[in-house]
Structures are given as structure tokens and as C-alpha cells.
Amino acid sequence: MIKRTFNLLLIVGLLSCKQDNVLTNSFNPGKLWLDTNGEHINAHGGGFLIYNNTYYWFGEHKITGKEGNRAMVGVGVYSSKDLYNWKNEGIALEVSNDSNSKLIKGCTLERPKVIYNKKTKKFVMWFHHELKGQGYDAALTGVAISDNITGPYNYIDSFRIHPGVLPLNFSQDDFDNASIIESRKDENWKEKVIKGGFLKRDFKGGQMSRDMTLFVDDDQTAYHITASEQNQTLLISKLSDDYQSLSNEYVRVFPGQRNEAPAIFKKEGTYFMVSSGLTGWKPNPGKLAVANNIMGDWEFLGNPCRGTDEENKTTFWSQSTYVIPVLGKKDAFIFAADRWRPENPIDGRYVWLPIKFENNIPYLEWENSWDLTIFND
Ligand code: GAL
């Protein structure tokens, strides 16, 4: 009996010890973030989906060493009820071993995002896809679908976007007047970009699509937002009703203004977009924009960071990936970003900060450690 009680105490002790190790009730930006197995969360360039009162975190599964910058495994998925503690749900989309597949192991698969289509009851994943061995030249967007949120997702295809289709805010006259940009040495390069020089160059074969995100509006219309035209211009496109392809409706946003890492959220009917500039894995000043209509005119509001010069110049040493609405709290949003480690990508860190508002304009401040009670104020 004594022995049995002792064993029981030992088991309980071990269990609580393990839990002490991994359970957390705060966000600690930039620190290692252990999942419920005690391993650093491996879901970089993440996208989030709330389904059945649970948060799901999809992201790039990285491996150690420089090789980890390419897709050697696929898209990882984690689940959480409270946003602090995340359970590894495995690999949602696996890269392929078939050399005929565009999704072959060693390609580049970045910034996966998943949305749920209420009509078809399918989960639809979109991601930035670059073909193996071609650097960032292919500039494709990829799609995969699943009946289960955690997968496995079936890869459909990857493609350039809107071949032969003009943006809604770019007329046939604009197109006729644009001059194709052959090289960066072109005179008045920037002016030509703004006037559609890359758009015209890529018109037939389809527009480039690199850093991307998705946004589902209150009426269930979904949008694909992507860095196009050599990362010089964002394109916002309406998705088809089943979310599995792009409709022909799209607009150019901030032509020539070099936005990457877009993330959109909506507060009281107003759309906000955070994004970054263009410095690869190195951080740069964050950007904020606002619009009353997601496909309408976007207005640039500057850098949302309020910190030291160094923090503002680097967005707290991070690059945006998603804005997470917090369940059960009104107007509570989390800025989720990556602190990349390209030398050893698996060790990349996550920087999550509460989005604060002043006169309805979002801003960010550094917090060493914080929790959701910050939204109670
Ligand atoms: C960043 C981009 C990342 C990744 C990286 C590669 O600017 O946001 O997703 O593509 O460049 O250098």
C-alpha cells in the first residue's frame, strides 16, 4: 500500500514537473516558445485560423542549418485553446518525394495560410511557393485542400496569378501607356513600375506572387493579398466562392512602394494592414495602412511601432506574419511576427505584441512579457 502510494505520488510529481516545464500563461516575445511536448514551436511565417473555439497555427516547418530555409518537411500545425500553450498536431501539408511534383522536397514553401469554407466545408491552404533550384524566380501562389483542419492537405497546384486580366483599378489606357521594364537599369525605373511596367511584362503569363496572406470578411468573401511586380506592388484579389482559385477581380495597392509580409485585420468596419519593407530576412521598419473598402483605396499611416529608434527601424527585430483576433474579447488583436534566424531557421523566434489603439489608430509597443489581461484595460 505504502509502495503504491509512493508510486502514485512519484507519477503525479513527474507529471506536474513536466507540466511546470511547459505550461505558460504569458507571451515572452523573442524567447524560446515551448509546445506542450517541451519543444520550440516550429511554425514560422505563420497563419492562424479559429475553428470550434480553438486556435490553429500553421507555419513553415524548418530544420536545422541553412538547408532549413527550404521546404524539407512541409507545413506544421499546432492547436491551442488559450494562445499560450500549443499542441503539435503534426505536418498538415507534406512536401513530395516525387520529382514530377512542383511541391518536391527542397522547394521553397513560405507563409502558409488556411481558411475554412462554410459552404464546401473544406479547409483551404494557400502559400508562397518557389520551385526547387530556381531561387525566388517562379513567384507562385499554391493551393491545397483538406476535409480536416489539421490535414493531411492535398496539394492542388501553384501558379502565377491573373494571366491576361487587368486589375480593376488599371484601365486599358493605363496598360497601353505602360512601358515594359526589361532591367533595373531602365531609366525612371520607379516611375515605370508605378505606371505598370512589370504588370505589362507579366500580363500574358500571369503576375508574380510572393509574400502573401488571406483575409475572410464578415460576409465570408475571402481575399488573397500578395507582393507582386518584383515585390514593388501589392495585389489584392477576391477568391472564388469555394476559396480554391482567384476570381478575376483584383486591384493594385501601393504601386512601387515595396511592401512585403502583409497581414490584415478589421476593426469596427475599418480594414488595417501591417506590412514590412523589403530587406529579406533582415528586419526593417514596419508599415501600417488603412482602408474603408478592402478593394478600395488604401492610405498609408506610417510605422506602427512606438519604441526606441532601433526598435522602430527593425519592428522590434521582427517581420509581420499575421494579426490574430482574440476570442471573446472585443477589438483585441495580436500582432504576430517572425524574428528570422536564416543561419539556423529552426531557431527562428516569434514576436507577439498586443495591438494598442489611440484615436482608433493601431500602434505597437515592446513588452518583455505580457498576457491577455492587457486587453481588459
Ligand atoms: C523576406 C520574406 C520571407 C522570405 C525572405 C527570403 O522578405 O518576407 O518570407 O521570403 O524574404 O529572403
Side-chain angles (χ1 to χ4, degrees), residues 65-69 281-282 339-346 348:
K66 278 197 164 172
E67 217 190 2
N69 290 314
W281 302 117
K282 294 205 186 82
R339 187 173 285 176
W340 303 110
R341 296 247 164 115
E343 301 299 318
N344 189 25
I346 194 173

Side-chain angles (χ1 to χ4, degrees), residues 45 60 108 110-111 128 136 210-211 231 260-261 276-282 284 319-320 340:
E60 302 160 26
T108 298
E110 294 179 343
R111 298 182 176 274
H128 171 196
Y136 280 84
R210 289 203 183 120
D211 278 13
N231 294 336
E260 274 197 322
S276 75
L278 225 73
T279 49
W281 302 117
K282 294 205 186 82
N284 54 54
Q319 186 183 29
S320 42
W340 303 110

